[in-house]
Amino acid sequence: MKINLSGHHVEVSDSIREHIEEKFSKIANHFPTLIALDVIISKEHHKHQVELITNYEGGRISVTGSDDVMFPAIASAAKKLDAALKHRKGQLKANLHEKPISTAPEIAHERVQEMNLG
């Protein structure tokens, strides 16, 4: 999985890059069809915000996590992304199952007319 990391009012250091790669390696193992992940780290009003954007099996998934400290914000966003990907995977599996077909109940007098009672 390719991680595109960018910072907005934040210096993206090597330690932050390593932490993010470590955090999302587990998600990459659970969802091997995940190709790319865009990570945007920003700081506004003394609060760190981490936004994660990806496409998974035809659906766009975007989550955000925020905290006063950067690393808990990353952890929060990672947890939300994992939950969103699991939800999307469940939706795709549900669409694979055959749905029950509702049939109109037969009316009793129509059945009696069809019978040859003679």
Side-chain angles (χ1 to χ4, degrees), residues 1 21-31 82 86:
M1 175 173 69
E21 287 177 5
E22 176 188 321
K23 216 38 154 168
F24 296 109
S25 65
K26 181 180 176 185
I27 291 175
N29 290 338
H30 285 239
F31 303 97
D82 191 40
K86 285 179 183 175

Side-chain angles (χ1 to χ4, degrees), residues 29-80:
N29 290 338
H30 285 239
F31 303 97
T33 57
L34 200 60
I35 297 169
L37 178 66
D38 297 326
V39 180
I40 302 167
I41 300 173
S42 60
K43 183 177 181 183
E44 291 182 21
H45 306 293
H46 305 291
K47 198 163 190 116
H48 288 88
Q49 185 169 354
V50 179
E51 184 176 4
L52 306 174
I53 304 165
T54 187
N55 288 319
Y56 180 67
E57 301 289 337
R60 182 180 170 94
I61 296 174
S62 176
V63 296
T64 59
S66 61
D67 200 288
D68 293 334
V69 184
M70 185 184 307
F71 292 105
I74 293 169
S76 170
K79 190 174 182 180
K80 288 179 183 180

Side-chain angles (χ1 to χ4, degrees), residues 55-111:
N55 288 319
Y56 180 67
E57 301 289 337
R60 182 180 170 94
I61 296 174
S62 176
V63 296
T64 59
S66 61
D67 200 288
D68 293 334
V69 184
M70 185 184 307
F71 292 105
I74 293 169
S76 170
K79 190 174 182 180
K80 288 179 183 180
L81 179 67
D82 191 40
L85 289 170
K86 285 179 183 175
H87 180 74
R88 177 72 181 141
K89 195 174 193 178
Q91 285 178 328
L92 294 170
K93 282 191 174 184
N95 289 339
L96 294 176
H97 299 297
E98 193 172 315
K99 304 291 186 277
I101 301 169
S102 65
T103 57
E106 294 185 18
I107 300 173
H109 71 86
E110 290 178 359
R111 290 279 297 165

